[in-house]
Amino acid sequence: MSAVRPVRTGEQVATPEPLITIKSAAKVYGNNRGLSPLNLAIHAGERVALVGPSGSGKTTLLRLLAGALVPDEGPNSVSINGKSPANLKPGRELASLVGIVSQRFDLVPHLPVMHNVLAGRLGHWSLARSILSLVWPMERRAAQQALARVGIADKINERPGRLSGGEQQRVAIARMMMQSPLVVLADEPVASLDPARAEEGMALLVGLVHSDLGHANGDGRSSERALIASLHTASLIRRHFTRVVGLRDSRVHFDLPAGELDDAVLDELYDLGDGYGDVEPLAGLAARDG
Amino acid sequence: MSFRRLQSWLTGPRLLTLGIVCALAWSLSRVDWQQPIAHTGGGAAALKVLLALFPPDLTPEFLSICVVASWHTLAYAVAGMSLAVALGLPLGILASGVLAVSSDGHNPRRWTLMVAVRFLLAAMRSVHELVWALLFVAAVGLSPMAAILAMAIPYAGILGRIYAEQLQVAPPEPIAALRTTGASPLRVLLYGYIPMALPDLLSYTFYRLECGIRAAAIMSFVGIDGIGFQIELSLADLLFRQVWTLLIFLVVLVVAVDWWSSRVRRSMAY
């Protein structure tokens, strides 16, 4: 068995209050431990990569942050900007707090790209506006701008079912621009893309929270945002993230500035350690489904 | 073959097949084979009906009657179906339960409503349109309205049931993604469930329109004009060539709806 590395904190940000505070949050499903009591503080402006083998708790952590799961200690052990996501009813407040980009991008295949992008506004719109928009798109300009930013302005009237995986991810990112949450969560967002598309996709995802790209709504909150994404590729993490948190056996195994992530660290994290042999740690495509 | 091997061979599906074959053999043994299947002279009558197809009645006067009758049948079918869709779609949405469930759990009042609507739909479709027609003739008299209502009620029951199922099988991931944008159940319905189910919804509605044309054709006995009414008249006069002409018109009508439906479905495909 390998020794547990001492936990080191990531890049220190000047902001005194962290944007996200997780205080001994745990989640147990029956006999399975989804997440052991875990502490984590994430500041605005941070881009945190979650790494770890399957079943290490990455998805559980993301779902706790999204408010889709309630921590066993109660909703208050997870706090984003002073609010507990699991306490918020689905709606505008939760939608402007956190948003999720999934591996499959989860677009509605028959609905034109325009409406898929505008769906990011559904939490903000009145019902009448939501209905009217299907006939006469509201905030059409903002949707066009978001699509232009992700480089697929010409696909606005296509149906997502006809788009490639990389283009679908761009639509999902444009939808996230419209939703404009403080914290962007991404569960293996590039796992189904080839390396070139993965690089582009990650750059766009980072653009959601990074001031370089700004925001569809231009609300100037870019520097207040944070990105938390699970992924496996060391090169992407070093290039696009500020901090990397390694999870193993549903615990924090290491917490490093992304620049310090080297292959030895990942090797050790993914090492099954009890005779199962070595697992290829850098297999960005390993998590691909089907 | 030992009894043991027979026992292991004779499992569920084979046992069922054997049972069905035995039941069939028994029922054949109960048929009185001495009696002819058709009554005396029936064969000749059937031949006469069949030969009337060569050729059917294609005189301009009769063709113009056929066109008007087809038009009426189509009009009744479309009116009945429109009403059925207008009733069936909202009921189907309520019966599907997609409004009763959101990411924060069940809404108990909407859940109760869902169960109630499912019962209502079952009641509507368990009575055949002809029986509804008899009831409406008793209530509102011999009128086109009676025929349209008689068709709309059971068809709404069937459509609602199928619509509900088609909405339920929508892929859950895009639905979950829409919920995380803060969309309420009604918005998730409009932006997720309905767009994803739309090709199926349309396809089934078109299929039901075909059924509706057949149903409208036989509504003649509640006094509405149409293909069925003309068939009744021609049959009464033993004018089989005219009956064939009318049947051809009916087939053409159904095929035309099928063609229209496949064109719409092709434009929906992504």
Side-chain angles (χ1 to χ4, degrees), chain B residues 91-220:
Chain B
L91 290 175
I93 289 168
L94 292 174
S96 71
V98 300
L99 292 181
V101 186
S102 66
S103 52
D104 61 342
H106 288 193
N107 179 324
R109 269 166 60 197
R110 284 183 180 166
W111 196 262
T112 314
L113 183 63
M114 176 191 84
V115 175
V117 169
R118 284 184 186 175
F119 272 108
L120 176 65
L121 287 173
M124 286 161 75
R125 67 175 182 271
S126 54
V127 178
H128 193 271
E129 53 263 30
L130 286 180
V131 179
W132 281 114
L134 287 175
L135 293 173
F136 277 112
V137 166
V140 297
L142 282 170
S143 79
M145 197 45 142
I148 291 170
L149 284 175
M151 216 180 97
I153 288 175
Y155 274 53
I158 295 165
L159 287 175
R161 159 77 195 269
I162 302 290
Y163 287 169
E165 278 179 6
Q166 289 174 337
L167 290 170
Q168 282 167 350
V169 298
E173 296 87 4
I175 299 297
L178 282 177
R179 289 205 180 110
T180 66
T181 67
S184 64
L186 198 53
R187 277 165 253 217
V188 172
L189 174 77
L190 291 170
Y191 280 78
Y193 285 110
I194 287 184
M196 285 197 281
L198 196 56
D200 288 344
L201 296 176
L202 273 178
S203 171
Y204 190 75
T205 308
F206 272 111
Y207 167 66
R208 270 288 136 194
L209 180 59
E210 286 179 31
C211 300
I213 288 170
R214 290 184 319 180
I218 58 164
M219 285 291 186
S220 60

Side-chain angles (χ1 to χ4, degrees), chain A residues 155-279:
Chain A
K155 307 286 184 194
I156 194 159
N157 294 317
E158 288 274 350
R159 296 195 183 116
R162 287 197 175 133
L163 300 180
S164 69
E167 288 166 339
Q168 291 190 22
Q169 192 200 32
R170 286 155 188 256
V171 177
I173 292 174
R175 177 170 70 184
M176 193 54 70
M177 285 180 180
M178 299 300 288
Q179 186 181 336
S180 181
L182 268 184
V183 174
V184 176
L185 308 172
D187 194 1
E188 310 222 352
V190 295
S192 61
L193 302 180
D194 65 63
R197 305 285 166 282
E199 177 66 40
E200 288 173 3
M202 198 45 87
L204 289 168
L205 209 53
V206 164
L208 281 174
V209 298
H210 202 261
S211 47
D212 288 357
L213 200 59
H215 220 270
N217 299 330
D219 55 5
R221 296 205 304 176
S222 306
S223 58
E224 301 168 20
R225 297 169 199 274
L227 170 69
I228 303 168
S230 63
L231 70 166
H232 300 278
T233 320
S235 57
L236 285 177
I237 294 171
R238 282 193 292 265
R239 248 195 312 284
H240 295 293
F241 289 81
T242 60
R243 180 177 167 189
V244 55
V245 173
L247 291 176
R248 178 164 169 166
D249 300 331
S250 68
R251 291 169 199 286
V252 176
H253 196 59
F254 60 74
D255 187 346
L256 298 168
E260 288 180 27
L261 181 74
D262 55 31
D263 294 352
V265 175
L266 269 187
D267 272 334
E268 191 228 339
L269 180 71
Y270 283 89
D271 181 16
L272 293 171
D274 30 41
Y276 288 99
D278 282 339
V279 170

Side-chain angles (χ1 to χ4, degrees), chain A residues 3-247:
Chain A
V4 173
R5 268 165 189 263
V7 170
R8 281 190 273 159
T9 48
E11 191 176 311
Q12 287 302 316
V13 181
T15 326
E17 274 297 296
L19 176 63
I20 302 168
T21 318
I22 301 171
K23 274 194 190 133
S24 65
K27 188 75 200 170
V28 177
Y29 308 101
N31 291 327
N32 289 328
R33 175 157 291 165
L35 201 64
S36 292
L38 181 138
N39 293 296
L40 207 59
I42 295 168
H43 289 87
E46 278 196 287
R47 303 189 295 280
V48 181
L50 294 177
V51 290
S54 307
S56 59
K58 303 186 299 278
T59 302
T60 306
L61 179 56
L62 288 173
R63 298 193 67 200
L64 284 174
L65 286 166
L69 289 176
V70 184
D72 293 339
E73 291 71 24
N76 293 325
S77 50
V78 174
S79 147
I80 300 177
N81 205 24
K83 292 165 195 147
S84 306
N87 272 345
L88 297 177
K89 284 197 68 129
R92 182 181 197 146
E93 205 178 356
L94 186 60
S96 46
L97 203 61
V98 279
I100 315 178
V101 179
S102 79
Q103 181 183 343
R104 298 171 185 281
F105 321 131
D106 294 346
L107 304 169
V108 179
H110 300 90
L111 199 62
V113 165
M114 156 87 78
H115 294 294
N116 265 286
V117 171
L118 288 174
R121 301 298 293 161
L122 287 177
H124 302 259
W125 283 350
S126 69
L127 183 60
R129 210 168 159 79
S130 306
I131 295 171
L132 196 60
S133 180
L134 281 173
V135 187
W136 190 259
M138 305 275 133
E139 303 187 29
R140 193 194 183 96
R141 285 279 300 281
Q144 277 168 339
Q145 282 169 6
L147 283 169
R149 274 206 181 101
V150 296
I152 49 165
D154 54 325
K155 307 286 184 194
I156 194 159
N157 294 317
E158 288 274 350
R159 296 195 183 116
R162 287 197 175 133
L163 300 180
S164 69
E167 288 166 339
Q168 291 190 22
Q169 192 200 32
R170 286 155 188 256
V171 177
I173 292 174
R175 177 170 70 184
M176 193 54 70
M177 285 180 180
M178 299 300 288
Q179 186 181 336
S180 181
L182 268 184
V183 174
V184 176
L185 308 172
D187 194 1
E188 310 222 352
V190 295
S192 61
L193 302 180
D194 65 63
R197 305 285 166 282
E199 177 66 40
E200 288 173 3
M202 198 45 87
L204 289 168
L205 209 53
V206 164
L208 281 174
V209 298
H210 202 261
S211 47
D212 288 357
L213 200 59
H215 220 270
N217 299 330
D219 55 5
R221 296 205 304 176
S222 306
S223 58
E224 301 168 20
R225 297 169 199 274
L227 170 69
I228 303 168
S230 63
L231 70 166
H232 300 278
T233 320
S235 57
L236 285 177
I237 294 171
R238 282 193 292 265
R239 248 195 312 284
H240 295 293
F241 289 81
T242 60
R243 180 177 167 189
V244 55
V245 173
L247 291 176

